Amino acid sequence: MSIDKLAASAAESVADIPDGASLAVGGFGLAGIPWFLIEALLEQGAGNLTIVSNNCGVDGAGLGLLLEARKIDKVIASYIGENKEFGRQFLAGEVTVELTPQGTLAERMRAGGSGIGAFYTPTGVGTLVADGGLPWRYHPDGSVALASPSKEVRTFNGQDMVLEEAIVTDYALIRAAVVDKAGNCKFHAAARNFNPPAAMSGRTTIVEAEKVVEVGELAPEDIHLPGIFVKRVVELTPEQAARKEIEQRTTRVRPSAADAEPALT
């Protein structure tokens, strides 16, 4: 019996996401983010969302669109980044932000998908991450409305480690390069950063696929995320699949052959 998880459209795939849902979202900056699932969710209108992602997009793109539309109430991320609106909302007391070390965040999501309730890590020991007091939400006057609690610290083999809880979300939105109809995913280059752990942490994971193939076309060694973690697959058009933006493009002029230094003989 074949398995076919293809959804008719991005809009259909996110239609049941309710107000107040928690979502893990893949990508790093703008690399490997699920552009069209985010835009479909914005059009769908769900609000009061909790977002778990490496960052919250940039101004005018990615998760930044949901933020600007005031659809996000809480963000668990590793950095504010270059999103000026994100920083403004945080400092104005309009959104709760739980900053988490980047590797810890990835492992919290992976642990959630692996059935691990919590784990110990040395990252954050001796800082506000472990000791508590890290501002999570501000009052409009700039005073701290909500701060992080202290966490349990234990010593293993002579090294102090802090207890971090796993993350399980209601939904996950990710993007992959090649996906078969059973949901097995292959990622390209930097898109393999937060997409696999984000997918694992979601109870209902939705992937937008640059290319969809039949089950069996992906070699087992090429599968980076098993289809067991994926519930819905949205196939992008070639034009949509080509959409791959970055925050800032920095280039320099390549030296011409005439300007290159002569080879040693």
Side-chain angles (χ1 to χ4, degrees):
M1 181 177 67
S2 63
I3 299 174
D4 190 339
K5 298 180 180 180
L6 279 177
S9 65
E12 179 186 89
S13 71
V14 303
D16 62 344
I17 298 179
D19 289 345
S22 59
L23 297 95
V25 182
F28 185 100
L30 295 180
I33 68 170
W35 291 92
F36 299 96
L37 292 176
I38 292 171
E39 291 174 4
L41 182 59
L42 176 65
E43 183 71 20
Q44 188 255 50
N48 195 32
L49 302 171
T50 293
I51 299 295
V52 183
S53 189
N54 181 60
N55 58 291
C56 204
V58 300
D59 296 296
L63 289 170
L65 297 174
L66 291 173
L67 194 72
E68 291 167 7
R70 305 301 180 90
K71 300 297 184 180
I72 300 175
D73 179 67
K74 180 179 180 180
V75 179
I76 302 175
S78 65
Y79 71 104
I80 298 290
E82 300 178 19
N83 192 327
K84 294 180 181 178
E85 177 61 14
F86 189 17
R88 188 202 67 76
Q89 287 191 26
F90 179 38
L91 295 176
E94 298 171 5
V95 65
T96 299
V97 179
E98 182 181 333
L99 291 175
T100 302
Q102 197 168 76
T104 300
L105 178 61
E107 181 61 12
R108 289 179 69 188
M109 290 192 285
R110 191 200 69 82
S114 301
I116 299 170
F119 58 91
Y120 286 94
T121 174
T123 304
V125 171
T127 73
L128 294 179
V129 171
D131 298 340
L134 191 68
W136 279 1
R137 193 171 190 122
Y138 289 97
H139 288 296
D141 64 6
S143 60
V144 176
L146 178 66
S148 65
S150 60
K151 300 174 182 177
E152 179 185 344
V153 176
R154 288 182 59 184
T155 303
F156 297 89
N157 299 318
Q159 185 171 26
D160 289 342
M161 297 191 181
V162 59
L163 182 68
E164 292 283 359
E165 294 185 9
I167 294 175
V168 177
T169 59
D170 300 319
Y171 292 83
L173 308 180
I174 68 167
R175 177 165 174 149
V178 185
V179 184
D180 69 21
K181 292 181 179 180
N184 297 301
C185 298
K186 178 181 179 180
F187 302 96
H188 176 68
R192 196 181 171 184
N193 42 53
F194 275 85
N195 275 300
M200 294 176 68
S201 71
R203 293 188 180 95
T204 298
T205 293
I206 310 166
V207 53
E208 63 177 50
E210 296 174 18
K211 180 181 180 182
V212 174
V213 298
E214 296 295 332
V215 176
E217 289 190 48
L218 279 174
E221 63 270 21
D222 290 335
I223 295 173
H224 301 142
L225 178 76
I228 189 68
F229 292 108
V230 174
K231 292 292 194 300
R232 302 166 192 166
V233 177
V234 177
E235 184 175 12
L236 301 180
T237 66
E239 292 75 20
Q240 290 172 328
R243 182 176 177 182
K244 298 176 182 178
E245 302 175 23
I246 59 174
E247 292 95 320
Q248 294 187 21
R249 182 181 295 275
T250 303
T251 61
R252 62 182 179 182
V253 177
R254 292 183 180 273
S256 64
D259 295 334
E261 295 182 5
L264 296 176
T265 58

